Amino acid sequence: MSERIPARIIESIDPRQPIRLTPAQAGGPIHTRSFSGRFRDLRRYGAGLLFLLFFGTAWLNWGGRQAVLWDLSEHRYYIFGATFWPQDFILLSALLIICAFGLFTITVFAGRVWCGYTCPQSVWTWVFMWVEKVTEGERHQRIKLDAAPWGPAKLLRRGAKHGLWLVVSLVTALTFVGYFTPIRELVAAPFNGELDGATAFWVLFFTAATYLNAGWLREKVCVYMCPYARFQGVMFDQDTLIVSYDAGRGERRGPRKKEIDHKAEGLGDCIDCTVCVQVCPTGIDIRDGLQVDCIGCAACIDACDSIMDRMGYERGLIRYTSERELQGGRTRLLRPRLVGYAAALLLMIGAFCWALDARSLVSLDVAKDRGMFRENAAGQIENVYRLKVINKTQQPQRYHLGLAPNQPFRLSGPGDLALAAGEIVDVPVSVVLEREPLGRSAAPVYFEVINLADPSQRQEADSTFLAPSGR
Ligand code: SF4
Ligand code: SF4
């Protein structure tokens, strides 16, 4: 049986009805029925946009290089003219936290809309189901094909389905890997013999992962493997919009002739056609109450609305609603918990944008030479350091390398540096104690690098200057 969160007992189910197992309960393959409706259209537009972004962005160029590329060999992430370095990983972590928090907020507001409309697992599964329909036919034809013995027709249809699934999986894998290795080179590599073993492995790995997840595992990923499905129930409250069957209106369910006054016959609006079950990608019966298996895709809403239209009944027997509304109250959209989540999310997005804007485009690291100190020809105390300067922009830059003001030291080093786009240089420098005495055996020393064209691009780093005691 499916796990429920929190299940409502439907008191008025007609005990004379035979018990029917849903596809999920029966454990067999789920063959969904075709349907149309406004939520299906919404999902298609959303999925179209996602596909365009996913498959299109990989091929975009920006400033002479791939617009979005995580270059693993160079440890850099290029995104539309900006370069991110391992030092910027804190920003990536912050972005992931913001995404997770955004997901919580959306879940409190509208349940599992992420799962039903935009989760890659769902979106790719819908594509694979469409391929299945094109190659093997409608639901009843697929069920018949399942039961039919193997022969040329079955072999041909099954072969076409799996062949197309593999093509979709391969294109998906190539695109995904293309965000980590330049996609033009990746696609050309098998033809010019330059495909290396590691890249080939990842392409095959993601091909297999897509094929298995969207082709074979499908709803099992959502029901048994996805951790989000397990904890989303605790985020729901009485006002969360969830896909629900209005049992008060639908029961007592049962078939009837369209023209009869069903209310006079003691029947509710549900004609027990089971179309809502037949379109469900996870094979459940939403009339049993909210279940963790429900991914909130609204296919059952579209299906039931079309039945209501045919019967001349009001739409919305299955609809997005809240527990409060089903119990006769009014859904409170603006409630403290949701407002708090939304405010925290906005605050986090604001802080992220500020951090992004304030991010330094030049990096300076300092490492002290292993020696303690030495005396130069003029008898001054001298310490040696290695400065690592990174031009984090995608243009050549000129920098001034020096010491922060008001220190008793003088830098002996190159002064100005010219760095190519993304170039990293290691510069050995020595620091001389100019104004003696230092008064102690160790003192902080501050280095700075300033972009000559834009002095606001400045970075500071510090180290320790050592001197003999008494100097
Ligand atoms: S589609 Fe609507 S009418 Fe048909 S069984 Fe489902 S809830 Fe009842
Ligand atoms: S019960 Fe309805 S909303 Fe939930 S997964 Fe099935 S079709 Fe989608």
Side-chain angles (χ1 to χ4, degrees), residues 220-275:
K220 293 176 189 68
V221 175
C222 311
V223 176
Y224 302 112
M225 294 159 73
C226 175
Y228 175 57
R230 297 282 133 195
F231 69 77
Q232 41 108 17
V234 299
M235 287 184 269
F236 288 7
D237 59 28
Q238 287 287 301
D239 296 291
T240 299
L241 293 175
I242 43 176
V243 176
S244 299
Y245 166 69
D246 189 342
R249 184 186 143 189
E251 302 300 326
R252 187 171 52 98
R253 67 183 74 162
R256 80 285 311 261
K257 289 211 165 67
K258 186 179 171 186
E259 53 279 3
I260 69 155
D261 180 357
H262 63 288
K263 297 229 165 86
E265 301 275 326
L267 287 169
D269 281 355
C270 175
I271 66 168
D272 203 18
C273 59
T274 72
V275 172

Side-chain angles (χ1 to χ4, degrees), residues 243 276 279-282 284 286 293-300:
V243 176
C276 52
V279 297
C280 178
T282 63
I284 58 169
I286 192 66
D293 309 38
C294 174
I295 58 167
C297 68
C300 52

Side-chain angles (χ1 to χ4, degrees), residues 108-298:
V108 172
F109 177 63
R112 292 183 72 176
V113 283
W114 157 262
C115 304
Y117 292 84
T118 42
C119 172
Q121 174 64 29
S122 303
V123 172
W124 260 259
T125 298
W126 289 110
V127 172
F128 275 50
M129 282 177 359
W130 172 78
V131 168
E132 202 164 52
K133 187 179 123 184
V134 168
T135 51
E136 295 186 344
E138 276 297 345
R139 178 175 184 269
H140 65 280
Q141 294 168 304
R142 297 200 299 275
I143 293 173
K144 212 167 133 193
L145 192 71
D146 268 1
W150 282 98
K154 185 166 176 171
L155 210 59
L156 194 69
R157 285 181 181 277
R158 284 277 145 93
K161 177 177 84 173
H162 289 286
L164 276 173
W165 278 1
L166 281 170
V167 170
V168 176
S169 303
L170 181 64
V171 173
T172 303
L174 278 172
T175 307
F176 187 71
V177 175
Y179 282 102
F180 297 88
T181 191
I183 195 160
R184 287 173 176 77
E185 293 168 27
L186 174 68
V187 170
F191 303 102
N192 53 28
E194 287 177 1
L195 187 64
D196 63 88
T199 309
F201 167 80
W202 287 115
V203 170
L204 289 177
F205 175 84
F206 286 113
T207 302
T210 311
Y211 174 76
L212 288 174
N213 282 339
W216 291 90
L217 295 173
R218 293 189 176 178
E219 77 288 346
K220 293 176 189 68
V221 175
C222 311
V223 176
Y224 302 112
M225 294 159 73
C226 175
Y228 175 57
R230 297 282 133 195
F231 69 77
Q232 41 108 17
V234 299
M235 287 184 269
F236 288 7
D237 59 28
Q238 287 287 301
D239 296 291
T240 299
L241 293 175
I242 43 176
V243 176
S244 299
Y245 166 69
D246 189 342
R249 184 186 143 189
E251 302 300 326
R252 187 171 52 98
R253 67 183 74 162
R256 80 285 311 261
K257 289 211 165 67
K258 186 179 171 186
E259 53 279 3
I260 69 155
D261 180 357
H262 63 288
K263 297 229 165 86
E265 301 275 326
L267 287 169
D269 281 355
C270 175
I271 66 168
D272 203 18
C273 59
T274 72
V275 172
C276 52
V277 182
Q278 293 172 36
V279 297
C280 178
T282 63
I284 58 169
D285 189 339
I286 192 66
R287 296 174 300 168
D288 291 347
L290 181 61
Q291 299 150 67
V292 284
D293 309 38
C294 174
I295 58 167
C297 68

